[in-house]
């Protein structure tokens, strides 16, 4: 039996065993008090009917060691060599991290597999580093994080533009299920996350494992039932042919595969991922920093930028309660629509004859911070930049490529392109009082080639480097991560951004569903959520102000509409809801979010609980199932504590026979009663929300 390595964190123990090859994960669950050897003995399996001794399956399965499933690592040399048989060199534990070094001198390959368990949250990270020790180029075909799965009930994520974070459930039949993304961004259709759990797991119940592959380029996520019945999940970068070649002494490091487990369904995963994101991904930079109410100009004016109009919008936005004014697309040189201008990051002299200063100063005089939309990775052919340097794009010389939103991707792997774009953004930030960038990215990388070679991997690293450089030069500037809505939402982007624009769809019916999926991994303070026009601009569906506002309330709230078009009473209602957001944002952005299962399939409920108070929403999306709605049974409060419950919305019912709570009066009840008996709900129409505030009575606030 090989040496055992134990990591503890977030109330879990994870045990790794050194084998004749890569380490094996032999235990991950509730704290093990002493019995590591016992766990190791139990981790053995009967293996007959395949190759002698069974197939070696560990955290880095290799074909060269007799593994016939999908290996975690595939490489070759021009000589034809492709077999590796890694053997352990060393294993070193340093606190929460173990690094296993493996080598195959004959193949000229060295690998370091690093496993880390976050002490506070229990989220684990898996990452490998592959080093070419040989004298000839080593071509990497695949290099992934591989994890054994105990169960095959899968919660998968897909979507599209304006319908991000869609989920589906499926059991894995024989063979492999592959989710592949070749768009060069995290993608709308295949975000790199997944949950695998015991059959029938739910938000509240069941063993689950949540995976999040932190990479903003191409990827492949796969789940395989191997021929001997065992299950594995893998996540790695998708490489174009010949994309990743290591010269002698060169190394490749995989992106990090983050994973968390829970015995209490997807809410259990959330209770690990949210604290982890707050402390380890965002490095606490949003902690205690109220998320200002954004006013975004996009859906108010699109490309029609008129200074007087924008000032008037800012005035109204300030009056309603906005705290940050974000000037969206349309402000820069030669940008009448989306066919021109990208690449030239100076104000359009026709729209802004005196630059941005008059608008910035006006906005600031109202007490609002100023933010600006940019799309630094892109250029239109109709721009000074590409007229001067048409060769600065990613692509293959002499080959046509389709455009995406009429634009090209700039080749940021070339230092001169990188420098030019950095200098332009730097000059903008240095020359104007801009404290926020909405950093957009609106097309797929269909021809990600540089210098005649595939460059999607290098481009992704260059994007990270560009954002990092901008941040380092302007540490006070917050950055919003946008990619045609939520096309680049992942933990690696979030390390260097402060907000994710979830979707270009602001229809609250769609948003409720997206928020349900997104919040499995991401906390509400990074979820951009705006109140838009009555009729959503992507669905055309109309929704009440209360429904729109209460949906946005559970994220980083903002406004994105021509507020002049709202009636006085709509503006007054929005102002009230922004007041509610400001009152409760400290709770919303630091509390424990849970998705609360409800019996009505046409409804969704959330709760965010802090130590002394909680907010709960119940959204009726379609016509309710019952005349008398089932109560909202909120789980996750202190069972023995007493709470004062108040229904904040809808307006109190005047009907004397309705429950006291629904009539707008406060009720006191224990956490236990709230969980078991539940809160009576008002008779909600489709497209409306009930909102409850709960205050813990037996504690000083
Ligand atoms: C993308 C974004 C929108 C908006 C437009 C501007 O579609 O997702 O929010 O910024 O670009 O062109």
């Amino acid at each position: 039996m090989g040496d055992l390595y134990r990591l503890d964190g977030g109330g879990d123990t994870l045990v790794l065993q050194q084998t004749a090859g890569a380490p094996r994960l032999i235990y991950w669950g509730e704290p093990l008090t002493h019995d590591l050897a016992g766990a190791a003995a139990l981790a053995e399996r009967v293996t007959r009917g395949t190759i002698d001794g069974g197939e070696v399956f560990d955290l880095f399965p290799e074909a060269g060691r007799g593994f016939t499933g999908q290996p975690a690592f595939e490489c070759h040399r021009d000589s034809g060599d492709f077999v590796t048989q890694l053997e352990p060199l060393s294993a070193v534990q340093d606190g929460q991290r173990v690094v296993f070094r493996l080598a195959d001198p004959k193949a000229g390959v060295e690998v370091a597999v690093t496993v880390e368990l976050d002490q506070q949250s229990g989220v684990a990270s898996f990452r490998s580093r592959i080093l070419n020790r040989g004298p000839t180029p080593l071509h990497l075909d695949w290099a992934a994080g591989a994890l054994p799965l105990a169960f095959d009930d899968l919660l998968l994520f897909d979507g599209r533009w304006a319908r991000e974070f869609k989920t589906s459930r499926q059991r894995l039949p024989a063979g492999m299920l592959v989710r592949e993304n070749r768009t060069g961004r995290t993608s709308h259709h295949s975000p790199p996350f997944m949950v695998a759990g015991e059959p029938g797991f739910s938000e509240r119940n069941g063993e689950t494992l949540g995976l999040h592959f932190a990479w903003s380029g191409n990827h492949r996520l796969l789940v395989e039932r191997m021929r001997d019945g065992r299950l594995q999940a893998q996540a790695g970068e998708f490489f174009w042919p010949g994309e990743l070649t290591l010269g002698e002494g060169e190394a490749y490091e995989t992106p990090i595969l983050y994973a968390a487990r829970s015995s209490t369904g997807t809410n259990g995963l959330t209770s690990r991922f949210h604290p982890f994101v707050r402390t380890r991904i965002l490095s606490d930079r949003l902690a205690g920093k109220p998320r200002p109410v954004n006013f975004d100009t996009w859906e108010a004016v699109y490309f029609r930028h008129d200074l007087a109009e924008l000032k008037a919008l800012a005035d109204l936005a300030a009056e309603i309660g906005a705290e940050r004014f974000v000037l969206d697309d349309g402000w820069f040189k030669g940008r009448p629509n989306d066919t021109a201008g990208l690449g030239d990051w100076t104000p359009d002299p026709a729209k802004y004859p005196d630059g941005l200063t008059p608008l910035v100063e006006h906005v600031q005089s109202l007490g609002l911070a100023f933010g600006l939309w940019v799309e630094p990775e892109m250029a239109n052919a109709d721009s000074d930049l590409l007229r001067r340097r048409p060769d600065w794009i990613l692509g293959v010389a002499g080959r046509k490529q389709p455009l995406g939103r009429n634009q090209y991707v700039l080749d940021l792997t070339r230092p001169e392109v990188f420098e030019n774009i950095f200098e332009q953004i730097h000059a903008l930030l240095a020359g104007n009082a801009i404290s926020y960038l909405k950093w957009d990215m609106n097309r797929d990388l269909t021809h990600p080639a540089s210098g005649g070679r595939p460059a999607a991997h290098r481009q992704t690293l260059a994007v990270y480097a560009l954002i990092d450089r901008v941040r380092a030069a302007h540490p006070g500037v917050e950055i919003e991560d946008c990619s045609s809505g939520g096309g680049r939402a992942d933990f690696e982007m979030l390390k260097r951004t402060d907000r994710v624009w979830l979707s270009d769809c602001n229809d609250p019916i769609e948003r409720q569903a997206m928020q349900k999926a997104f919040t499995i991994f991401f906390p509400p303070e990074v979820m951009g959520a705006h109140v838009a026009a009555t009729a959503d601009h992507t669905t055309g569906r109309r929704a009440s102000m209360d429904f729109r506002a209460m949906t946005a309330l559970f994220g980083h709230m903002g406004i994105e509409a021509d507020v002049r078009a709202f009636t006085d009473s709509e503006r007054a209602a929005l102002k009230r809801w922004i007041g509610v957001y400001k009152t409760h944002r400290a709770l919303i952005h630091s509390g424990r979010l849970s998705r609360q299962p409800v019996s009505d399939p046409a409804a969704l409920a959330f709760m965010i609980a802090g130590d002394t108070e909680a907010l709960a929403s119940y959204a009726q999306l379609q016509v309710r199932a019952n005349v008398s709605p089932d109560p909202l049974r909120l789980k996750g409060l202190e069972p023995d504590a007493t709470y004062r419950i108040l229904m904040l919305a809808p307006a109190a019912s005047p009907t004397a026979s309705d429950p006291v709570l629904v009539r707008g009066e406060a009720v006191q009840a224990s956490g236990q009663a709230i969980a078991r008996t539940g809160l009576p709900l008002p008779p909600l129409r489709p497209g409306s929300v009930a909102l409850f505030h709960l205050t813990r009575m037996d504690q000083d606030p």
Side-chain angles (χ1 to χ4, degrees), residues 539-587:
T539 65
R541 193 160 45 196
R542 298 171 71 83
S544 71
M545 178 58 78
D546 285 356
F547 189 21
R548 284 177 283 153
M550 273 192 273
T551 300
L553 178 71
F554 276 69
H556 174 185
M557 191 172 184
I559 310 164
E560 185 164 345
D562 185 348
V563 280
R564 295 166 304 179
F566 291 168
T567 62
D568 288 347
S569 73
E570 281 173 331
R571 273 196 296 272
L574 181 53
K575 189 173 177 173
R576 259 197 326 276
W577 282 117
I578 285 179
V580 173
Y581 169 77
K582 288 177 180 170
T583 304
H584 296 293
R585 65 183 151 189
L587 164 68

Side-chain angles (χ1 to χ4, degrees), residues 65-80:
R65 284 187 280 131
F67 182 72
T68 62
Q70 168 68 52
F73 176 52
E74 291 173 292
C75 65
H76 71 279
R77 294 189 192 268
D78 295 334
S79 60

Side-chain angles (χ1 to χ4, degrees), residues 161 164 296 298-299 302-303 328-330 335 338 373 375 405 438 440-442 480 482-486 501 503-504 537 560:
W161 171 72
E164 290 85 341
D296 191 300
W298 179 240
E299 291 178 34
Y302 296 101
F303 294 104
D328 209 288
D329 196 356
R335 184 72 168 168
D338 66 10
W373 182 94
E375 195 177 358
R405 211 187 188 208
K438 179 176 175 186
D440 211 338
M441 191 288 196
N442 279 313
E480 174 170 3
C482 177
S483 181
S484 324
W501 181 230
S503 178
D504 282 349
H537 75 150
E560 185 164 345

